[in-house]
Amino acid sequence: MLHGRKILLVVSGSVAAFKALMLVRLLRAEGATVRAVLTAGGARFVTKEALAAITGEHVSDDLWAAEAEIGHIRLARWAEAVVVAPASASRLAQMAQGLAEDLAGCVLLATRAPVLAAPAMNPAMWAHPATAANVALLAGRGIRFVGPGEGPMAEPESGPGRLSEPEEMLEAIRALFAEGPLKGRHVLVTAGPTREPIDPVRYISNHSSGKQGYAIAAALAAQGARVTLVSGPTSLAAPPGVTLKPVESAREMLAACEAALPADAAIFAAAVADWRVAQEASQKLKKEPGAGAPTLAMALNPDILATISTHTARPKLVVGFAAETERVIENAQKKLARKGCDWIVANDVSGDVFGGGDNTVHLVSAAGVEDWPRMPKEEVAARLAARVAEYFQ
Ligand code: CTP
């Protein structure tokens, strides 16, 4: 798939920069041509010589020298994809600001090719609101992300921040080139449960595993779509090439969905909590001797599907899920009308669905009802993605 592709790799400053060398190996093994731009920070961790040897190409690291040689515009035009790996916190901030102070900054501004960023930084830096805001801004502009993952890091700290493995980055680069009927389309997908806080240590949630939503996101990406996956807490990794926006509460999920618009289609597979605790306690609730159990007053959560269905930037195709245990079709048809969406995937949850591998669904729309046989969630996802692709043809 990558044979003959021209990939520009921007290596910025991170102790994980050695993985960029391994990525080059994998890309070249697939027949891609890789040129590298080394930032000043990147040069602290890998040498220009190592990158040149492994890419088999001249490595650019100086804006002014590059002007004399090929120029940043030519380099930007040459690339069919630009991969920033590792993308340091500082590089993401520079990209968000559109700073063109070095060769990498100029190329990233000048390119019209798809850009993939593989963040790598300390977990606290990744969690910082400034980084989160930069990532949200970049994702909104269509920059794709892979990772970061969790796992052993240079510092004895844990949490997300670790550069994705070379194989994961390769998968995400393949996804950039994914040809398919949904190429050029942006699809928003929600998945997983939401968590509604009671106090700083307790929450209300549900058993949603997120499997169905993640499988849908992966299937849409495989059809060539750019996918934003807004997900509540799950144990699943973002599918390759899919931009994951992790959220916790329903209100956060709604805000992330609105921030992800415009989209051509939106598929709401999340099991959103219908209610939240009206007043989240700022301190942990304590057992007072003799006081008995507390009563939690609840408030209604926003309906994300209904809100996006009537949004001024409503996606052309809006798909909801309906978890039903009885009168599946009848209830789904009512839900279709009530929520203002185009299709409902009616999910028969009378069996063991949550966390299981299979699903029995019916596709309900104004045009009628299609009964799909019981099948693995990946197959439900592939069929649904194929139907979305048909819709846009
Ligand atoms: N949904 C949502 N926001 C909510 C609640 C639900 O976006 N606050 C979406 C879900 O992602 C799903 C659909 O709406 O696509 C499910 O609707 P819901 O009214 O929650 O129905 P069920 O859970 O299926 O069942 P019930 O009507 O019994 O609550």
Side-chain angles (χ1 to χ4, degrees):
M1 188 194 254
L2 295 176
H3 189 79
R5 294 296 192 181
K6 297 176 208 150
I7 296 167
L8 186 67
L9 179 68
V10 175
V11 180
S12 70
S14 155
V15 66
F18 69 92
K19 287 189 193 167
L21 299 175
M22 293 151 78
L23 175 63
V24 173
R25 278 229 140 117
L26 297 177
L27 289 168
R28 291 194 69 197
E30 299 232 335
T33 304
V34 186
R35 282 192 186 166
V37 169
L38 186 60
T39 71
R44 298 256 171 189
F45 298 96
V46 289
T47 64
K48 190 175 173 180
E49 290 72 21
L51 263 178
I54 240 156
T55 58
E57 301 280 338
H58 172 78
V59 174
S60 313
D61 61 350
D62 177 352
L63 178 58
W64 304 110
E67 290 315 302
E69 292 159 5
I70 48 170
H72 66 274
I73 299 293
R74 275 174 63 190
L75 201 51
R77 288 211 182 119
W78 171 84
E80 291 176 293
V82 180
V83 179
V84 188
S88 64
S90 154
R91 181 53 52 182
L92 292 175
Q94 291 174 56
M95 287 165 71
Q97 291 296 311
L99 295 184
E101 288 170 347
D102 61 3
L103 180 60
C106 289
V107 168
L108 283 160
L109 271 189
T111 189
R112 293 202 184 90
V115 176
L116 173 75
M121 64 198 75
N122 165 277
M125 292 168 79
W126 175 252
H128 195 283
T131 305
N134 289 332
V135 169
L137 191 69
L138 291 167
R141 286 189 200 139
I143 306 287
R144 317 266 190 110
F145 285 88
V146 53
E150 283 190 50
M153 315 223 354
E155 304 99 345
E157 268 182 70
S158 62
R162 188 172 194 262
L163 181 63
S164 291
E165 293 307 313
E167 291 75 16
E168 291 169 316
M169 293 192 271
L170 177 70
E171 269 299 307
I173 294 166
R174 284 202 190 114
L176 289 182
F177 290 106
E179 289 295 337
L182 288 174
K183 195 173 169 68
R185 304 276 179 193
H186 177 214
V187 186
L188 166 67
V189 179
T190 69
T194 63
R195 257 184 204 173
E196 310 299 331
I198 298 171
D199 67 14
V201 297
R202 302 182 178 95
Y203 58 82
I204 296 171
S205 191
N206 60 63
H207 286 300
S208 169
S209 65
K211 276 185 193 160
Q212 187 62 81
Y214 277 60
I216 291 168
L220 290 161
Q223 297 272 1
R226 176 165 75 84
V227 183
T228 304
L229 175 61
V230 177
S231 173
T234 72
S235 59
L236 305 172
V242 167
T243 301
L244 176 68
K245 300 274 181 64
V247 296
E248 297 231 331
S249 68
R251 286 185 294 176
E252 281 173 25
M253 186 173 272
L254 175 59
C257 287
E258 287 182 311
L261 296 178
D264 297 286
I267 299 180
F268 295 92
V272 184
D274 291 318
W275 308 281
R276 67 175 181 275
V277 177
Q279 277 295 325
E280 179 190 349
S282 58
Q283 304 297 332
K284 186 183 166 202
L285 297 177
K286 302 293 284 178
K287 291 186 296 293
E288 299 300 345
T295 304
L296 296 174
M298 307 294 279
L300 211 52
N301 262 335
D303 190 313
I304 301 166
L305 168 59
T307 307
I308 302 295
S309 285
T310 53
H311 201 278
T312 45
R314 182 194 198 274
K316 198 154 175 261
L317 178 65
V318 177
V319 183
F321 270 70
E324 308 291 350
T325 52
E326 55 174 358
R327 297 198 299 280
V328 176
I329 307 297
E330 190 188 321
N331 284 333
Q333 278 164 336
K334 281 189 194 149
K335 209 160 279 177
L336 189 74
R338 196 170 70 238
K339 303 224 180 189
C341 53
D342 303 295
W343 302 347
I344 286 269
V345 180
N347 211 353
D348 194 337
V349 290
S350 46
D352 168 32
V353 171
F354 286 115
D358 283 0
N359 216 345
T360 308
V361 306
H362 312 266
L363 187 62
V364 180
S365 71
V369 180
E370 268 179 41
D371 302 318
W372 294 1
R374 181 183 168 89
M375 58 178 89
K377 287 179 177 173
E378 288 76 17
E379 214 168 299
V380 171
R383 271 212 194 193
L384 187 62
R387 295 303 306 270
V388 172
E390 259 172 46
Y391 177 89
F392 283 103
Q393 246 154 31

